Amino acid sequence: CSCQAFHVSEILDTAERQIVEYPDSALTTVRSIGRYTPMVPSVRARYSLLYSKALDKNKIRVNSDSLIIRSTNYYDLFGTPEERMESYYYLGRVQENAKEHLPATISYLYAEQFADVVDNNYLKGLLYSHLGEMYSHYNRVSRALQYYEKSYNYYKKANLPQHQAYQLYGMGMMHLGLQNVDRAIELFEQAGRLADSSNFTAIKRLILSMMACAYNGKEDYRSSYKA
């Protein structure tokens, strides 16, 4: 039993190293462990969290909490603040995928309780980004803006320009909805510069499209056409 636990932990260590830069490899690594492999509870919780994380990062939509709930249940009792924060964040992602917006918001807000004591800027950036999306869904624009700005600041600390660009784009969309057109254009331009510097072409197309709409609203048709 102890040999099996050690073997699984070694595989999970490999997946942990791969997860940020090579999420597809991390998913393959985690999947090399059979779901019904005997594991002690601490290893099972870590396996469930890493598997959920790898699925999410590979944009595989999971709408059942049967996997991640093993982590949240265990870490609620025995986890560090970061493990609890991360497990509730990924529980929120599953609930969001299932369009259960209220449970997802509650899970994200529960995860937020640990933000002050967790030193993981990337995780905090993810969490505040999705809280922004939740409040945007509820049409609570000012609250959504606060969360998008927090997310942007944490991504900036983590030195993740593509993630920063996405948050600036989200903030620009909020201001556009509030008819703060000049501020929206400023944010879109800032996001565009980050997208250029990090070769983030997908977001750049969205940014230029919304800039065209913003300039059109100002009747600045030359700038709109250029965008």
Side-chain angles (χ1 to χ4, degrees), residues 3-21:
C3 288
Q4 179 68 28
F6 179 74
H7 174 65
V8 171
S9 293
E10 279 191 321
I11 296 173
L12 293 177
D13 288 343
T14 301
E16 194 91 64
R17 290 191 293 270
Q18 296 169 326
I19 195 74
V20 175
E21 291 190 34

Side-chain angles (χ1 to χ4, degrees), residues 48-67:
S48 300
L49 179 57
L50 260 173
Y51 201 166
S52 299
K53 190 190 301 191
L55 289 166
D56 187 65
K57 289 190 180 302
N58 281 280
K59 296 180 170 52
I60 298 172
R61 295 173 66 88
V62 176
N63 55 21
S64 167
D65 66 4
S66 59
L67 181 64

Side-chain angles (χ1 to χ4, degrees), residues 22 27 57 74 88 100 103 139-140 148 156 160 172 176 181 198 206 221-222:
Y22 308 105
L27 182 58
K57 289 190 180 302
Y74 179 83
Y88 271 94
E100 296 174 353
N139 207 26
R140 297 279 301 279
Y148 281 138
K156 193 172 182 180
L160 294 166
L176 201 58
V181 178
S198 59
L206 288 173
Y221 301 120
R222 188 181 297 276

Side-chain angles (χ1 to χ4, degrees), residues 41 45 69-81 83-84 87-88 110 114:
I69 203 70
R70 294 173 179 266
S71 298
T72 52
N73 287 344
Y74 179 83
Y75 290 136
D76 256 345
L77 296 172
F78 306 110
T80 65
E83 287 167 339
R84 294 172 77 182
S87 64
Y88 271 94
Y110 187 83
F114 306 103

Side-chain angles (χ1 to χ4, degrees), residues 136-147:
S136 176
H137 172 78
Y138 300 135
N139 207 26
R140 297 279 301 279
V141 177
S142 60
R143 192 77 180 272
L145 268 170
Q146 290 172 7
Y147 282 126

Side-chain angles (χ1 to χ4, degrees), residues 59 93 96 125-126 128-133 136 144-145 147-149 151-153 155-156 160-174 187-188 190-196 198 200 202-204 206-207:
K59 296 180 170 52
R93 290 291 296 123
E96 189 178 344
L126 288 172
Y128 286 122
S129 173
H130 283 277
L131 273 169
E133 289 183 20
S136 176
L145 268 170
Y147 282 126
Y148 281 138
E149 190 166 350
S151 177
Y152 166 74
N153 288 331
Y155 283 145
K156 193 172 182 180
L160 294 166
Q162 291 193 0
H163 292 70
Q164 292 172 58
Y166 189 81
Q167 296 315 304
L168 289 167
Y169 167 76
M171 290 158 65
M173 291 294 291
M174 295 293 100
L187 289 163
F188 289 144
Q190 191 179 347
R193 289 192 291 272
L194 277 169
D196 286 337
S198 59
F200 192 9
I203 195 73
K204 187 63 185 286
L206 288 173
I207 291 164

